[in-house]
Amino acid sequence: MPLLLPNPSSPLPSPLRHRLCSSSSSSYAAAVGGFLLRSGHRPGPPRLHAADSRVVLGCGLVTLDYLATVDAYPRPDDKIRTGELQISGGGNAGNALTAAARLGLNTRVISKVANDETGATVLSELNEAGIDTSHVIISDGGNTTFVYIIIDKQTKSRTCILTPGDPPMVPSDLPMSSLSAALQDADQMKIPILVDAEQERTKEELEGLLSLASYIVCSGNFPKNWTSIPSLPCALLEILLQYPRAKFVIATLGEKGCMMLERSEAGDDSVVGAADIEVVADSLKWELHKDDTLPTCISSKIMRLSARGLRTIFGRLLIGTAEVIPASELVDTTGCGDAFIGAVLHALSTEMPPEKMLPFASQVVSQFPFA
């Protein structure tokens, strides 16, 4: 959820917990939970790339992850040994902000932890990554969210078992009047909002966030589940029809890359005809260089895109590939989607065109976590 910082010296409003991102050219905001960018420099560790003095404020989940690598996932009643155990900070907001910080953005986080050892470790790791944690709520008592992650070396998959933090963030942490005012101010200041769409929350909660979205990023399953349309291109079209403020929607597809539908202004001089979006998607897939090991992107022209039973939008469809990683080098996919979002935030903040943004984000994913 975006929060507003009208100028560099303004104090932050009360914290909230949602998953989304915001941005604008002068004050750039983004969220995985929520992020805001504004001018102003804050010292931190060396960064991979400079992104001037923009600040990302992220609102969302931070956790401590216990990553246990096993030869094979256990069967019922099995007792097995871990080959390796790692303990590190995690969570959607924590991971995405870490990626954004390492890519050069100044980052802050709004979240909630307990005053336990786990919470202290989480805050320490976030600070070490260069993320400002001064606006994290620390509850007196309870426990910080932690996650057991079982990494199966045989299938290259991971299973997450989350223990929620207690006490959770509740509406009284941020009165609805303040939340409504913050959203209205963001709208008036034309601060774009990127929503990391997951169906963890109720449909009503997510509806409210998506209706404000300037950008939407989701998993490959979300469009079908949300729209009840089995075709991914058609489901993406329906999402942009449902949420007219959204400039694009990206569905991440793991090793198959991603698909992005970008809206164009109606009447744009570059519009070159009309086409069925499924036909366009099939055509792009045939044009992809499937032997490339590095991420690539291919785009349709801007046109009137339609699907049976749906209205038309002006826009273009893009398909991005993932970097091909040999099975022997693939260890764990935990946090890949969050790293993708961190890279998208960086790309948006530096006004990177989508044709470069998608391969860039895929390359960042292949390098996450950063050394």
Side-chain angles (χ1 to χ4, degrees):
M1 167 82 44
L3 301 179
L4 304 183
L5 294 177
N7 59 65
S9 61
S10 298
L12 281 172
S14 299
L16 38 147
R17 181 185 180 187
H18 288 286
R19 288 172 49 83
L20 70 119
C21 314
S22 347
S23 66
S24 76
S25 56
S26 57
S27 290
Y28 199 92
V32 181
F35 303 112
L36 165 73
L37 284 118
R38 64 168 178 85
S39 61
H41 177 72
R42 179 180 52 76
R47 302 172 188 278
L48 298 183
H49 304 285
D52 59 47
S53 58
R54 300 177 186 189
V55 177
V56 180
L57 172 63
C59 304
L61 183 65
V62 296
T63 71
L64 190 64
D65 292 348
Y66 297 84
L67 299 99
T69 302
V70 298
D71 291 332
Y73 192 82
R75 297 170 297 180
D77 292 329
D78 270 358
K79 291 184 178 180
I80 61 174
R81 292 180 180 270
T82 60
E84 182 180 2
L85 177 65
Q86 295 182 349
I87 303 175
S88 67
N92 304 104
N95 288 337
L97 285 171
T98 297
R102 300 297 169 86
L103 291 168
L105 295 175
N106 294 311
T107 53
R108 294 181 176 185
V109 62
I110 291 177
S111 190
K112 189 171 187 177
V113 299
N115 62 346
D116 55 5
E117 183 177 352
T118 300
T121 302
V122 169
L123 293 178
S124 175
E125 289 213 1
L126 292 171
N127 287 323
E128 287 179 8
I131 300 168
D132 184 342
T133 62
S134 59
H135 302 286
V136 173
I137 296 175
I138 302 177
S139 64
D140 186 12
N143 67 274
T144 300
T145 302
F146 61 93
V147 185
Y148 293 113
I149 300 175
I150 303 173
I151 302 168
D152 186 341
K153 291 174 61 177
Q154 183 175 349
T155 62
K156 309 297 182 181
S157 62
R158 88 286 190 269
T159 302
C160 300
I161 306 170
L162 181 143
T163 300
D166 182 64
M169 190 171 283
V170 294
S172 60
D173 288 327
L174 183 76
M176 287 306 296
S177 58
S178 299
L179 175 57
S180 297
L183 292 174
Q184 290 171 7
D185 287 344
D187 184 42
Q188 292 172 4
M189 293 177 65
K190 301 187 183 302
I191 298 177
I193 298 170
L194 187 154
V195 175
D196 177 10
E198 287 193 349
Q199 289 180 298
E200 296 174 345
R201 54 184 60 80
T202 67
K203 187 176 180 68
E204 292 73 18
E205 290 173 336
L206 192 51
E207 278 276 10
L209 298 179
L210 290 173
S211 66
L212 297 168
S214 302
Y215 310 105
I216 300 172
V217 180
C218 59
S219 69
N221 294 326
F222 178 83
K224 176 182 176 181
N225 294 337
W226 188 256
T227 65
S228 300
I229 298 175
S231 162
L232 178 57
C234 294
L236 296 180
L237 177 62
E238 173 61 18
I239 287 174
L240 286 193
L241 288 170
Q242 288 182 10
Y243 307 106
R245 294 191 181 193
K247 297 178 181 178
F248 67 62
V249 54
I250 301 174
T252 59
L253 305 170
E255 64 181 12
K256 296 181 180 179
C258 61
M259 183 177 290
M260 172 178 174
L261 180 58
E262 181 186 37
R263 190 193 306 274
S264 178
E265 294 297 327
D268 191 311
D269 292 338
S270 57
V271 174
V272 294
D276 182 280
I277 194 169
E278 286 194 282
V279 174
V280 173
D282 289 340
S283 176
L284 291 177
K285 290 174 183 177
W286 277 107
E287 294 181 41
L288 283 173
H289 299 291
K290 298 180 175 60
D291 295 331
D292 288 346
T293 57
L294 293 177
T296 59
C297 177
I298 189 166
S299 169
S300 74
K301 296 179 179 179
I302 298 174
M303 61 183 71
R304 295 178 180 85
L305 295 169
S306 62
R308 183 177 298 179
L310 300 177
R311 290 173 288 131
T312 298
I313 70 164
F314 294 87
R316 60 175 178 157
L317 191 68
L318 300 93
I319 295 180
T321 63
E323 182 168 345
V324 177
I325 302 175
S328 59
E329 298 179 15
L330 183 62
V331 177
D332 175 27
T333 60
T334 305
C336 286
D338 303 328
F340 185 94
I341 289 175
V344 168
L345 298 178
H346 178 273
L348 289 172
S349 70
T350 55
E351 300 180 358
M352 189 181 295
E355 300 93 323
K356 293 184 178 180
M357 176 178 71
L358 298 184
F360 169 73
S362 294
Q363 285 184 304
V364 168
V365 166
S366 69
Q367 298 300 317
F368 191 81
F370 303 108

